[in-house]
Amino acid sequence: MKYEIEDIKKRIAELAEKREQVTIMEVCGTHTASIRKYGIQELLPDNIRLVSGPGCPVCVTDQGDIAAAISIAAQQNVIFTCFGDMMRVPCGDTSLYSLYERGKDIRIVTSPMDALHIARKNPDKQTVYFGIGFETTAPLTAALIEAADECGIQNLSVLSAHKTMPQAITQLLKNGSCIDALICPGHVASIIGADTFSFVSSELMLPAAVAGFEAYDIMVALLCIMHMLETGEKKCVNMYPRAVTRHGNKEALSLLYKVFEPCDVLWRGLGEICDSGLGIKECYEKFNATHKFDIHIHDNYKDSDIEEAKGCICASILCGKSIPDDCANFGGACTPDKPLGACMVSSEGCCAAYYNYKNIK
Amino acid sequence: MCLAIPGKIADIKDGYAEIDYGGVSKRASLRLFENAKVGDCVLVHAGFVIQILDQDAGDELEKIFEEITGLMGEEEMISSSDKEENSLTGKEK
């Protein structure tokens, strides 16, 4: 690209001069981390505020789902597999990591397919994979279930907490909010296609840009958004064309909806959102861990067992209503080494990103 | 979580691609992108190729950017092109 960050920064500042306050939300944990890592907020004038929405899958996973995971992982003869971040999400006075410390067989995987290999090597045990993530990750879990079915694997199941992004964005922004524009998640868009986010401009009446994850990608997306705010145009622009097409990855989407179907689920901070979850279809029910282990999420737990830490404001942060600095626990009682809330656990959580890059100026 | 890493397909065998990440090699499934070819630059997420990267998209991004911002032909945006390169821009040009 022929434009320099300094030039883009200057142009954004010129456009911002004409406005009072602009609040731009990003809904992707990888954007959250990139914005903090590259000090993007510090490149912007004071009246442009970047806030994080419900874009970190670890953070938005409801306490009931975490409790279900812990309940399964605690059982005899189970190998419980998950991405590393999920291990440390607190749930009352326990977590998957504390179970691991007490000797339960809980294994970190870097790909859902690792769970298939573990299941094959351990035919006398039940292997369970905890599926979290949005449309970027859910097709991978679908591939795991499809492969397990094709190979006739009997001792593997999936606890699905997968979610889809458009419904959450709509729920959060439909009834008016302080958000002026949206940075759309680049890798979710690489699967579902840039066109899928056109509802942000056409229905929610907000300018939006699908963005990549380098500093340059984010800055050009912000400049485009500022221009649209200036001209009053409401479009969703694909500013990540090297990885995002209009219609996304059709093979991935086809596999996703071969295995999963939309269902109502709870999000931390946002509550229940209609059709925003991905439940395993009946034809693959034998791979559904909630059926296999007879788990009834939310029925088996007292709220007091799974409630969030006192003073934790993760719910408000995930809605873009607060920032980590507003939390009394932030950086003191709650740090990445000893997280009290989910947003401090994952490196893509808003609190962890603020904490890890707090000295960038 | 939605982190995806770019790499280049060095080899393909039995539905898996050997991905070269600038010297480090790792296998990734092609189940979500079966038409990928050796030499393609791809995005890999948690062991799966999820998208082929369009190597010509730099020009496309520039075009979209200029369309939206109306900057085409304006000189001021490239005024600092002779300046020392900003470390933040050390990528796809």
Side-chain angles (χ1 to χ4, degrees):
Chain A
M1 288 290 281
K2 63 186 178 186
Y3 305 115
E4 298 285 347
I5 289 271
E6 275 302 317
D7 298 321
I8 295 168
K9 176 183 159 186
K10 230 182 280 176
R11 182 57 73 112
I12 290 174
E14 284 166 17
L15 290 164
E17 265 177 27
K18 303 170 186 174
R19 310 188 71 85
E20 286 189 1
Q21 178 77 37
V22 179
T23 304
I24 301 169
M25 175 178 271
E26 105 280 326
V27 284
C28 172
T30 313
H31 275 145
T32 305
S34 288
I35 285 168
R36 296 295 143 194
K37 178 180 166 187
Y38 295 126
I40 301 289
Q41 180 68 73
E42 284 66 35
L43 294 175
L44 304 175
D46 290 343
N47 61 335
I48 299 182
R49 198 167 65 101
L50 302 180
V51 297
S52 300
C56 159
V58 173
C59 309
V60 298
T61 300
D62 184 68
Q63 286 297 83
D65 293 316
I66 308 282
I70 288 170
S71 163
I72 295 171
Q75 296 191 24
Q76 296 296 318
N77 218 35
V78 165
I79 302 173
F80 194 85
T81 62
C82 62
F83 287 131
D85 289 350
M86 291 309 295
M87 293 283 283
R88 296 189 311 130
V89 179
C91 187
D93 58 359
T94 186
S95 66
L96 288 167
Y97 190 75
S98 69
L99 281 188
Y100 168 76
E101 285 182 315
R102 293 201 297 257
K104 293 296 175 188
D105 195 346
I106 302 173
R107 304 185 192 184
I108 291 174
V109 293
T110 55
S111 169
M113 295 309 274
D114 294 346
L116 188 71
H117 302 308
I118 291 170
R120 275 185 168 139
K121 281 187 178 174
N122 298 276
D124 54 337
K125 291 191 172 182
Q126 287 293 327
T127 297
V128 181
Y129 171 71
F130 191 10
I132 64 155
F134 303 114
E135 293 93 330
T136 322
T137 313
L140 284 54
T141 304
L144 167 68
I145 292 174
E146 180 193 56
D149 192 38
E150 285 173 1
C151 300
I153 304 278
Q154 304 288 326
N155 62 324
L156 175 79
S157 57
V158 170
L159 176 64
S160 174
H162 286 298
K163 296 175 174 60
T164 49
M165 187 48 80
Q167 294 83 354
I169 293 172
T170 303
Q171 171 92 355
L172 191 60
L173 304 179
K174 69 180 173 187
N175 293 325
S177 69
C178 59
I179 306 302
D180 299 301
L182 194 75
I183 300 174
C184 297
H187 290 149
V188 167
S190 76
I191 299 290
I192 66 176
D195 282 5
T196 308
F197 285 102
S198 60
F199 74 94
V200 178
S201 50
S202 62
E203 293 172 29
L204 304 175
M205 307 307 286
L206 295 176
V210 175
F213 298 91
E214 301 293 340
Y216 192 90
D217 295 323
I218 297 167
M219 287 297 281
V220 291
L222 287 170
L223 179 50
C224 282
I225 283 172
M226 291 303 292
H227 262 275
M228 288 191 276
L229 287 169
E230 168 72 9
T231 60
E233 265 188 301
K234 290 186 174 61
K235 291 202 286 192
C236 180
V237 187
N238 178 11
M239 297 303 290
Y240 192 26
R242 68 183 182 277
V244 176
T245 61
R246 286 186 61 191
H247 303 296
N249 181 337
K250 289 181 181 172
E251 275 172 280
L253 284 172
S254 164
L255 178 58
L256 175 63
Y257 289 106
K258 176 183 169 188
V259 173
F260 290 107
E261 60 190 356
C263 63
D264 303 347
V265 290
L266 284 163
W267 294 56
R268 188 192 303 273
L270 280 73
E272 187 170 73
I273 304 176
C274 180
D275 284 343
S276 68
L278 290 167
I280 296 169
K281 280 185 175 174
E282 206 174 332
C283 52
Y284 290 103
E285 191 146 297
K286 62 184 174 185
F287 299 105
N288 189 336
T290 55
H291 287 271
K292 189 175 262 189
F293 293 89
D294 198 24
I295 296 291
H296 299 280
I297 296 173
H298 297 288
D299 289 351
N300 292 351
Y301 314 101
K302 286 184 293 184
D303 285 347
S304 58
D305 290 341
I306 59 173
E307 69 186 10
E308 289 165 355
K310 196 177 175 190
C312 178
I313 61 166
C314 279
S316 180
I317 288 171
L318 288 167
C319 296
K321 291 176 184 165
S322 301
I323 60 169
D325 290 328
D326 299 331
C327 180
N329 294 328
F330 177 71
C334 184
T335 64
D337 285 341
K338 205 178 173 188
L340 292 179
C343 297
M344 190 58 99
V345 174
S346 167
S347 60
E348 296 192 342
C350 186
C351 296
Y354 266 68
Y355 185 90
N356 289 333
Y357 302 107
K358 64 185 171 185
N359 293 324
I360 287 186
K361 291 287 175 199
Chain B
M1 180 60 65
C2 292
L3 188 66
I5 311 292
K8 194 171 189 174
I9 297 181
D11 195 17
I12 292 177
K13 201 177 175 185
D14 300 332
Y16 282 84
E18 197 65 32
I19 311 286
D20 175 15
Y21 300 96
V24 176
S25 259
K26 211 166 179 334
R27 224 167 63 119
S29 169
L30 289 173
R31 175 60 185 90
L32 305 180
F33 224 112
E34 289 170 354
N35 292 331
K37 303 183 298 294
V38 171
D40 282 343
C41 287
V42 293
L43 268 184
V44 181
H45 171 57
F48 284 78
V49 170
I50 60 164
Q51 193 58 263
I52 293 180
L53 289 169
D54 180 354
Q55 294 298 286
D56 300 322
D59 292 342
E60 198 184 328
L61 178 61
E62 208 162 89
K63 202 175 134 199
I64 300 165
F65 180 67
E66 288 170 343
E67 270 175 23
I68 296 292
T69 60
L71 287 170
M72 199 176 294
E74 290 190 23
E75 292 302 316
E76 56 187 295
M77 284 295 289
I78 54 172
S79 60
S80 62
S81 57
D82 295 334
K83 288 179 194 169
E84 192 179 335
E85 187 179 320
N86 187 310
S87 62
L88 292 169
T89 64
K91 54 172 289 294
E92 295 178 39
K93 295 204 170 189

